Amino acid sequence: MLEAPERVGARFSILLFLGFLLTPLAGFGAGVLFGLISVEQLQEVLAGGIVPVFSVSLIFVSLFQLQRLITPLITWALQNPDGGNAPSHLHRLSQRFSRDYWGLLALHALVSPVLVFWTLDGGINPDNGFAFSHFMLLQVISAALVGMPGYLFGLHQLGKLAGHLSLDRVHVSLQARTLLLAGLVPLLSYSILMYYHWLHTGQLDSGYMVTWIALGIVTASISLLSIRSMQQALRPFQELFSRSGASTHEDLAKLRPASTDEIGHLTQTLGKVFQRLGDQETHMRAIVDTAAEGIIVVDDKGLIDTFNPAAERLFGYLAQEIRGRHLASLLPNVFEVKQSIDAHAEEREVGGVHRNGSKIQMSLRISEMEISGKRMFTCLVADITRRKAAELELLTAEARYRALVETAHDLVWSMDPEGRWSYLNSSSRVIYGLEPEQMLGRSISEFCAADNCEADRQAFSQLLGGKDLYQYETVHLDKDGNRRSLSFNAKTHRDEQGNILQISGTARDITDQKAFHQQLTYQAEHDSLTKLFNRHYFQQELERTVARVLRNPQHTCALFYIDLDQFKYINDTLGHAAGDRLLVEVTQLLISHVREGDLLARFGGDEFTLLLYNISPSDVMLAAEHFRQLFEDYRFVQEGKSFNITCSIGAAIIEQLVESAEEVLSHADIACNMAKAQGRNRINLYDPTDRNKAGMAEDMGWASRVREMLEQDKFQLVYQPIMALNDDQVQDYEVLVRMICDDGEIILPGGFMPAAERFGLIHSVDRWIVRRALAQLSRLHQQGESVRFSINLSGKAFEDVSLLPMIQEILDQSNIDPSRVCFEITETAAIAKLSAAEKFITALKVMGCQFALDDFGAGFSSFAYLKHLPVDKLKIDGSFVQGMANSQIDQAMVQSMNQVAHALGKQTIAEYVEDSTTLELLRNYGVDYAQGNYLGKPREALMSITRLPPTRLQAGRAD
């Protein structure tokens, strides 16, 4: 970095003043030291006044002369802080420094001895001639030695100004400096020491002379070698500069070092710099030549200097024929021949003229630059015909997009980082009852329901923190204060610095969907006839109650299993309507006597369960007797006739010894069966020490057999083929489970699954089936069999928190393609837990597996909930398929379910295909797959459809 010229000038003047001041002091001091004049003579000289006046005058004259030299240089440097080529008279001034400096020192060294001897002896005579000559010689040597630092410092300061002034030539060469420092100064030093010895001893033996001569030779050799080395180091530059013509970057890049010192390193560095500059020049030339935009460089008069290939293609002119012509010949609507050119960085759309006279729509940007003090302008031109067409297409698309947004059923919105609406489409009228203009600028928090405000604030904070919102559900209020359930998707938009510009997204009104879900949830948890909680919900609550009692043993609870004694008689003799009315009246009777907080449920048929919280074991039988007495006093009246209705109640205490809800329920059920066995209209408290437990052996036996099968790995998997109706090929198999007894009897799932579910073993059965089925599928894939498995899961699979991680672990550790694995759950099980089913199915889909809904059509509101479950396949319930050959209604039902499934993008599978007629009907309706005993029964080994007798398939098509 260049130093300030003012500081350079100040240092130059001050230190040169000190140098000129020290020169006479050093000279007279040396004279006294060498004994050429005495101290008294020096005092006489100083008292005479002539020598001091001359020395002081010469010092100020020297300072004035050098100030005249430096001042114009400093002034020009201040006026041109960025540097430049200084005028020639300034270069001549700087070149005079060496002459003026040494001339003034020489004047002092030559004149001051004359004045000294004039003052002492009245002039120079034969008596003092020897002393005079020696004194003058001493003055010259002192001036040379003392003045050398000042001279070098002056050159140093002028060198600092060279960055401002630039150099027209070398003022003092490196060889000259080397000669002064390495040659002259040492020789003068040796000489003055010998001279001092000679003056004080009066003799100079040959040893001193030989030493002086040897030192002189060594010094001269060192100086010459240094100069030679320096010349060698500078030779690459001298050879380069001695060439005729201008040197290109390529020539300069050939610089190679000729020495190992700083100059050699500098030479190598400069070579690399010039090589890089050449590369950059080549690179820039390549950029200009290959640029997609036309690049035209013109001077300040508008005459074309550079015309790249892109400009040639754009205007149809060659560079050599257009160079030197005015820019107005290409852009007549923008420039005139005598018009000055103004730079503008922003893009302008202008019209150009091709060589053939056609009009070109183009963009134009002009930037100004200065090259060697001359103003030039770079014009960037590009054909924007396609871009304008694209912009028109974009505007059309934007208009189309805006129309879609404005007519979208979902709310499309954006807001600022403070949460104020900045845009809403017309759906705001449907959701909020307000026009978009009425909501703009208002905060979203104004519309939030009070019980959702805190959750909304947290969600908004997460959104500002960089986390996108996906299906975030909240509740807002419309203009009338009605609650609207909304599902928000939102994303932040940020600038390059990460600052939030705006937030945008969509919102869907899910009020009706939430109500539908609530209705389904209510139906899934309540009995449709009595409105009591159903068996499913009661079992869940029983599990929670058992868990609480295990944590707090002092809070014992009780379970009553209530079974009506005369219900079957009423139902069979008076009809189902009477039976339903009886159940409703019994429900109201129970509700009116159940403590607040206790849970009453219809467990199934004529069975009720009652969960009593925080009841003392001593009060359990009293409470049970109270309910038994209620039924004994109750009379059911139908068509004027009165019927006595009693009940049998089994009671079980929930205490710390109980391990599971299934165990408690089994105890109450066994106690109820024992009450019935004892003559009905009784109560019975489960006693684990009672060996007379009628009805207990059967269920417990099934549970024991299921445990044995699991522990000894005795379940068996069988596979039933599923045929694709478009090509009659079989790649899919449904995996089914069988219990093989010791006597060879085969038990179907309907025989043991209820007991497994009732006694808490169903999750273990599910996991066993999944683990064995996936292991078998992995082996088949390793053998090159390209098959797919469809694996049945129980209705309790949604409740098993370890099932999904187990499936994921098996898929990760095996070679199974997840897309070749499909899981099945019955429609009724999925409806019973719609929300859990939706999450469970979605998790399997994320793994890459498929999902099928079994027994489709057997449930209620099938089409209504189907759009909420992300299943891949629907298995049409066999009750419709079996009767298709003889029932047009079944045919219509199957056809309707197939059409709806296809409309939703789902495949269909028809179960229970038992004949060729049914198969051909399914094929005609476009059903995707068929399954049934006609095509293949469940077996341990995989079956290929090609093994079926060809006549059966042909007959199926012929029929």
Side-chain angles (χ1 to χ4, degrees):
M1 185 176 180
L2 295 178
E3 194 167 350
E6 302 96 324
R7 289 199 295 272
V8 173
R11 292 173 183 171
F12 183 87
S13 300
I14 293 172
L15 292 176
L16 285 182
F17 172 79
L18 293 176
F20 280 107
L21 180 62
L22 290 175
T23 298
L25 296 178
F28 294 140
V32 173
L33 180 64
F34 279 64
L36 295 178
I37 61 173
S38 64
V39 176
E40 291 77 9
Q41 289 176 326
L42 180 60
Q43 292 175 348
E44 182 180 350
V45 169
L46 295 177
I50 297 176
V51 174
V53 170
F54 169 75
S55 297
V56 172
S57 299
L58 186 60
I59 289 172
F60 282 99
V61 168
S62 302
L63 183 62
F64 174 75
Q65 182 65 20
L66 294 176
Q67 192 68 31
R68 286 181 58 194
L69 183 149
I70 195 68
T71 299
L73 302 180
I74 298 299
T75 302
W76 196 91
L78 291 174
Q79 293 173 351
N80 300 271
D82 295 330
N85 293 319
S88 58
H89 72 278
L90 294 181
H91 288 289
R92 289 194 296 270
L93 278 177
S94 63
Q95 294 167 12
R96 283 172 44 192
F97 170 70
S98 297
R99 183 195 66 187
D100 292 353
Y101 182 85
W102 289 115
L104 291 170
L105 285 180
L107 179 63
H108 176 271
L110 296 176
V111 174
S112 60
V114 175
L115 296 178
V116 168
F117 281 85
W118 182 273
T119 303
L120 293 175
D121 299 329
I124 302 171
N125 50 59
D127 295 332
N128 61 12
F130 176 81
F132 172 77
S133 61
H134 281 269
F135 186 72
M136 179 174 289
L137 177 62
L138 185 61
Q139 292 299 308
V140 171
I141 294 175
S142 299
L145 290 176
V146 175
M148 189 63 68
Y151 174 67
L152 294 177
F153 179 80
L155 289 178
H156 177 65
Q157 298 304 313
L158 289 175
K160 292 182 178 179
L161 292 176
H164 293 281
L165 307 174
S166 77
L167 288 175
D168 59 348
R169 66 188 183 112
V170 177
H171 293 178
V172 179
S173 67
L174 290 175
Q175 291 93 328
R177 292 193 189 190
T178 302
L179 187 60
L180 287 174
L181 295 176
L184 181 60
V185 171
L187 285 175
L188 290 176
S189 301
Y190 306 154
S191 299
I192 199 169
L193 289 174
M194 287 189 61
Y195 181 55
Y196 178 82
H197 176 75
W198 178 61
L199 287 177
H200 281 76
T201 61
Q203 59 182 1
L204 195 63
D205 56 25
S206 59
Y208 282 100
M209 288 300 296
V210 171
T211 301
W212 182 83
I213 293 171
L215 289 173
I217 293 173
V218 170
T219 301
S221 300
I222 292 174
S223 301
L224 293 176
L225 287 174
S226 299
I227 293 173
R228 183 181 179 88
S229 176
M230 195 171 300
Q231 289 175 340
Q232 177 181 331
L234 294 174
R235 185 175 299 117
F237 294 100
Q238 294 171 347
E239 293 176 354
L240 185 65
F241 298 148
S242 64
R243 298 176 184 175
S244 59
S247 297
T248 63
H249 285 149
E250 184 178 0
D251 296 331
L252 295 172
K254 295 179 180 178
L255 282 174
R256 295 294 182 269
S259 64
T260 58
D261 53 13
E262 289 87 345
I263 296 178
H265 186 265
L266 176 61
T267 304
Q268 178 174 290
T269 303
L270 286 175
K272 292 181 179 179
V273 169
F274 287 128
Q275 181 178 0
R276 185 165 183 178
L277 289 174
D279 293 342
Q280 290 180 348
E281 182 180 4
T282 303
H283 182 63
M284 291 303 299
R285 176 59 59 185
I287 291 175
V288 171
D289 290 343
T290 59
E293 285 188 307
I295 300 176
I296 305 172
V297 180
V298 299
D299 59 17
D300 55 354
K301 296 180 180 179
L303 300 180
I304 298 173
D305 177 79
T306 301
F307 202 74
N308 76 332
E312 293 180 342
R313 294 190 296 271
L314 184 59
F315 290 99
Y317 291 97
L318 295 177
Q320 54 266 31
E321 62 180 321
I322 196 66
R323 190 175 291 116
R325 295 175 59 177
H326 199 277
L327 192 59
S329 60
L330 302 177
L331 303 170
N333 298 329
V334 182
F335 301 103
E336 297 178 0
V337 175
K338 296 183 180 181
Q339 176 186 353
S340 61
I341 297 179
D342 297 323
H344 55 83
E346 69 279 2
E347 181 180 291
R348 292 168 53 189
E349 295 181 4
V350 299
V353 179
H354 194 269
R355 184 175 185 175
N356 60 15
S358 60
K359 303 294 184 182
I360 311 172
Q361 198 171 13
M362 60 181 58
S363 64
L364 172 66
R365 294 195 300 269
I366 301 177
S367 59
E368 183 178 353
M369 59 182 175
E370 186 172 337
I371 302 177
S372 300
K374 184 179 179 181
R375 292 177 67 207
M376 303 290 285
F377 296 89
T378 301
C379 305
L380 300 179
V381 292
D383 188 348
I384 60 173
T385 305
R386 292 184 179 178
R387 192 185 79 185
K388 296 301 290 184
E391 288 178 356
L392 179 60
E393 185 178 350
L394 180 61
L395 289 174
T396 304
E398 184 179 354
R400 183 167 57 249
Y401 170 75
R402 184 169 293 277
L404 290 173
V405 169
E406 288 299 326
T407 57
H409 179 71
D410 289 351
L411 181 70
V412 181
W413 55 267
S414 63
M415 66 175 65
D416 60 25
E418 284 71 39
R420 296 186 294 266
W421 300 112
S422 57
Y423 171 79
L424 299 105
N425 68 344
S426 57
S427 292
S428 64
R429 304 188 193 102
V430 179
I431 296 177
Y432 295 98
L434 297 170
E435 296 292 332
E437 294 78 11
Q438 296 176 279
M439 299 178 63
L440 295 180
R442 297 171 63 181
S443 174
I444 188 175
S445 60
E446 295 183 31
F447 302 90
C448 176
D451 52 344
N452 280 77
C453 286
E454 181 59 32
D456 281 8
R457 278 194 293 269
Q458 294 180 3
F460 190 73
S461 298
Q462 293 177 354
L463 188 61
L464 294 179
K467 181 180 180 181
D468 296 342
L469 292 185
Y470 177 68
Q471 294 184 354
Y472 168 71
E473 294 185 6
T474 185
V475 178
H476 282 193
L477 304 178
D478 62 14
K479 69 173 184 177
D480 298 321
N482 299 318
R483 295 171 65 90
R484 310 290 294 185
S485 296
L486 302 177
S487 176
F488 273 86
N489 295 319
K491 182 180 182 63
T492 57
H493 302 273
R494 301 174 182 268
D495 59 17
E496 295 180 353
Q497 289 72 37
N499 301 316
I500 297 177
L501 300 176
Q502 69 169 3
I503 307 167
S504 63
T506 60
R508 172 168 294 183
D509 188 348
I510 57 173
T511 305
D512 295 338
Q513 179 181 339
K514 296 291 284 186
F516 175 70
H517 271 275
Q518 291 174 358
Q519 180 183 2
L520 286 180
T521 302
Y522 181 85
Q523 292 175 349
E525 295 180 348
H526 291 77
D527 174 54
S528 59
L529 176 64
T530 63
K531 310 306 178 187
L532 293 176
F533 286 110
N534 60 13
R535 174 176 181 166
H536 169 72
Y537 180 84
F538 181 83
Q539 286 180 317
Q540 286 185 325
E541 178 59 23
L542 182 59
E543 290 175 355
R544 291 189 287 267
T545 302
V546 171
R548 285 196 297 270
V549 171
L550 290 176
R551 291 192 300 268
N552 300 290
Q554 66 274 20
H555 296 157
T556 57
C557 302
L559 172 63
F560 289 174
Y561 196 102
I562 305 172
D563 191 347
L564 302 184
D565 294 330
Q566 288 80 22
F567 179 76
K568 188 175 187 307
Y569 172 79
I570 298 294
N571 207 47
D572 293 343
T573 58
L574 302 181
H576 293 293
D580 290 346
R581 190 167 66 84
L582 171 61
L583 292 174
V584 172
E585 289 186 10
V586 168
T587 298
Q588 296 303 317
L589 177 66
L590 289 170
I591 291 175
S592 63
H593 290 81
V594 169
R595 294 183 307 173
E596 184 177 358
D598 290 345
L599 180 64
L600 177 65
R602 183 186 177 192
F603 203 69
D606 61 341
E607 299 167 341
F608 296 84
T609 50
L610 176 60
L611 191 56
L612 297 95
Y613 301 100
N614 300 329
I615 184 171
S616 173
S618 60
D619 296 332
V620 171
M621 294 302 289
L622 294 176
E625 176 60 25
H626 171 71
F627 284 107
R628 189 203 64 78
Q629 189 64 44
L630 284 176
F631 278 89
E632 188 173 11
D633 296 340
Y634 167 71
R635 296 294 181 271
F636 176 68
V637 179
Q638 174 71 13
E639 297 179 354
K641 295 181 180 179
S642 177
F643 298 91
N644 184 26
I645 303 299
T646 60
C647 70
S648 299
I649 302 177
I653 297 176
I654 305 173
E655 55 187 356
Q656 192 175 16
L657 297 177
V658 176
E659 295 182 355
S660 66
E662 289 79 5
E663 183 180 350
V664 175
L665 190 59
S666 175
H667 293 172
D669 189 10
I670 291 171
C672 182
N673 288 332
M674 293 178 66
K676 283 181 174 293
Q678 293 169 1
R680 302 177 185 273
N681 191 21
R682 296 178 181 275
I683 59 176
N684 187 281
L685 177 64
Y686 177 81
D687 182 1
T689 62
D690 188 356
R691 298 183 178 274
N692 185 18
K693 303 181 180 69
M696 175 177 158
E698 184 177 0
D699 282 344
M700 293 298 291
W702 278 114
S704 176
R705 294 169 75 181
V706 170
R707 285 193 184 93
E708 181 183 355
M709 290 292 168
L710 289 171
E711 292 171 357
Q712 300 181 13
D713 207 18
K714 286 187 176 182
F715 280 118
Q716 182 185 78
L717 294 182
V718 293
Y719 310 93
Q720 186 171 27
I722 302 174
M723 186 179 75
L725 296 183
N726 61 339
D727 58 5
D728 294 341
Q729 295 298 312
V730 172
Q731 283 189 325
D732 297 82
Y733 295 85
E734 181 176 5
V735 180
L736 304 169
V737 65
R738 300 289 187 263
M739 178 185 285
I740 309 299
C741 299
D742 293 336
D743 58 0
E745 181 184 4
I746 298 177
I747 309 298
L748 298 180
F752 59 84
M753 280 296 192
E757 182 173 341
R758 188 166 185 177
F759 288 94
L761 300 173
I762 192 63
H763 294 333
S764 299
V765 175
D766 277 336
R767 293 181 213 138
W768 188 94
I769 294 172
V770 170
R771 190 179 291 109
R772 295 303 185 280
L774 292 181
Q776 174 67 1
L777 184 61
S778 177
R779 286 191 292 270
L780 291 171
H781 283 181
Q782 291 175 358
Q783 296 169 8
E785 294 285 347
S786 179
V787 297
R788 294 186 288 262
F789 275 3
S790 186
I791 304 171
N792 276 290
L793 298 175
S794 72
K796 294 282 189 178
F798 304 141
E799 303 172 9
D800 187 359
V801 295
S802 63
L803 181 58
L804 287 173
M806 186 194 79
I807 294 173
Q808 181 68 68
E809 181 181 2
I810 295 174
L811 293 176
D812 291 340
Q813 296 177 356
S814 66
N815 63 333
I816 299 175
D817 180 0
S819 64
R820 306 193 75 79
V821 181
C822 182
F823 291 94
E824 292 185 20
I825 288 183
T826 62
E827 176 194 27
T828 51
I831 296 174
K833 290 190 174 182
L834 187 60
S835 178
E838 189 174 356
K839 294 179 181 178
F840 186 85
I841 297 172
T842 300
L844 287 173
K845 298 277 287 179
V846 170
M847 295 181 195
C849 301
Q850 293 191 325
F851 200 90
L853 203 60
D854 199 6
D855 296 340
F856 179 69
F860 54 89
S861 303
S862 298
F863 295 159
Y865 72 78
L866 187 57
K867 60 183 179 180
H868 301 297
L869 293 176
V871 300
D872 302 286
K873 299 176 182 179
L874 300 178
K875 299 190 74 171
I876 301 172
D877 186 60
S879 62
F880 299 106
V881 179
Q882 282 179 311
M884 282 180 59
N886 303 312
S887 172
Q888 292 185 349
I889 294 178
D890 287 342
Q891 293 176 20
M893 291 293 291
V894 170
Q895 194 170 6
S896 174
M897 284 186 278
N898 184 65
Q899 290 173 350
V900 171
H902 284 175
L904 293 173
K906 307 178 190 306
Q907 295 180 319
T908 52
I909 305 171
E911 300 180 294
Y912 293 93
V913 178
E914 304 297 338
D915 53 61
S916 60
T917 303
T918 302
L919 181 65
E920 191 61 27
L921 286 172
L922 294 171
R923 197 191 312 277
N924 293 336
Y925 293 158
V927 174
D928 300 299
Y929 296 92
Q931 176 183 358
N933 290 338
Y934 175 71
L935 300 174
K937 295 181 179 180
R939 295 185 180 180
E940 290 186 64
L942 298 185
M943 298 173 59
S944 173
I945 198 63
T946 57
R947 298 179 187 173
L948 292 175
T951 54
R952 291 175 64 178
L953 289 177
Q954 293 171 1
R957 294 193 182 102
D959 292 344

